[in-house]
Amino acid sequence: MPTSALDDLQQARTRLADITPGRRWCRDWTDAVDDCVRTLGASTVRSHGIAVAALGGHGRRELCPASDVDLLVVHDRASDDELSEVVRSVVTPLWDVGLKVGHAVRDVRAVLDSVDDIESATALLDVRVLLGDTDLGQRVRTETLRRIRRRPDAYLEALHAADLSRRARAGDAAEVLEPDLKNGAGGLRDVQSLRWAAAALV
């Protein structure tokens, strides 16, 4: 039952509130959110033609206490009614319990057309299917990699430009009193950017 899934999520949040956040904390919270999403969508997400996937930090299993839950509903010719029901069954309940949920509903073509945008491309590199058509989710990641590797110079230039812009806004994480540990120079995003760059070259 959805209510039970939300109760379990709330209990996990209460239990983790007494634990100092760290890598294990992030994995445990991500697992709790994943389990909730799977239960909420079990009756509405088909095994063929629709997938619900985690993106970004959620996809990497790095949900922090204040992280957004980023979800992608990707489909292959599903109807508007089917997709609306997926959003109502999965996204709306998460909003109702106070989570910050970002979601997008896209068909496969629209998802892959977005790869030219560097933020979309890096998010898709971290895609992780939670429920539904796992082959569809794998197709998205495989095709994302293929398109990136077809024009690695353009991708790496866009990634470098995004990194420079981000560091200019956030400053140096090692040289300010209140550093931006995620976006500042030398912060977590720089580590992730190295991995995203490597994806174009493997």
Side-chain angles (χ1 to χ4, degrees):
M1 294 287 292
T3 301
S4 176
L6 296 174
D7 287 344
D8 289 345
L9 185 65
Q10 295 282 45
Q11 290 172 14
R13 181 155 53 181
T14 299
R15 174 175 56 82
L16 290 169
D18 295 327
I19 301 173
T20 301
R23 184 171 296 179
R24 177 63 183 270
W25 193 103
C26 294
R27 288 198 302 267
D28 287 351
W29 179 232
T30 302
D31 288 345
V33 173
D34 288 355
D35 289 345
C36 186
V37 168
R38 292 185 182 108
T39 302
L40 292 172
S43 64
T44 57
V45 179
R46 305 178 319 200
S47 60
H48 179 73
I50 301 178
V52 177
L55 299 176
H58 188 185
R60 294 189 300 273
R61 298 184 71 214
E62 295 176 351
L63 284 180
C64 296
S67 291
D68 292 354
V69 175
D70 290 323
L71 297 174
L72 170 67
V73 180
V74 59
H75 66 96
D76 186 7
R77 296 186 298 276
S79 70
D80 289 344
D81 287 344
E82 289 175 304
L83 296 170
S84 294
E85 183 59 27
V86 171
V87 172
R88 281 195 297 270
S89 66
V90 175
V91 177
T92 303
L94 296 178
W95 279 333
D96 289 343
V97 295
L99 295 188
K100 295 184 292 184
V101 184
H103 78 285
V105 180
R106 302 282 186 271
D107 64 25
V108 176
R109 176 175 294 183
V111 171
L112 295 177
D113 284 348
S114 72
V115 172
D116 288 338
D117 174 74
I118 191 61
E119 290 189 10
S120 296
T122 54
L124 291 172
L125 287 176
D126 292 322
V127 69
R128 183 171 57 88
V129 175
L130 301 180
L131 74 160
D133 192 334
T134 55
D135 289 341
L136 189 62
Q138 184 59 42
R139 175 181 165 193
V140 166
R141 190 175 191 282
T142 298
E143 183 62 17
T144 297
L145 284 169
R146 189 187 71 81
R147 294 189 181 202
I148 286 171
R149 291 169 181 172
R150 186 174 60 193
R151 299 178 59 227
D153 290 348
Y155 167 77
L156 291 172
E157 288 174 5
L159 183 61
H160 180 59
D163 286 344
L164 290 177
S165 177
R166 167 178 53 77
R167 292 173 193 146
R169 294 192 306 271
D172 192 325
E175 295 184 358
V176 295
L177 291 177
E178 296 183 2
D180 186 333
L181 297 178
K182 176 180 177 181
N183 293 305
L188 292 173
R189 190 63 84 199
D190 275 352
V191 175
Q192 294 155 1
S193 189
L194 289 172
R195 185 170 52 79
W196 293 329
L201 305 173
V202 174

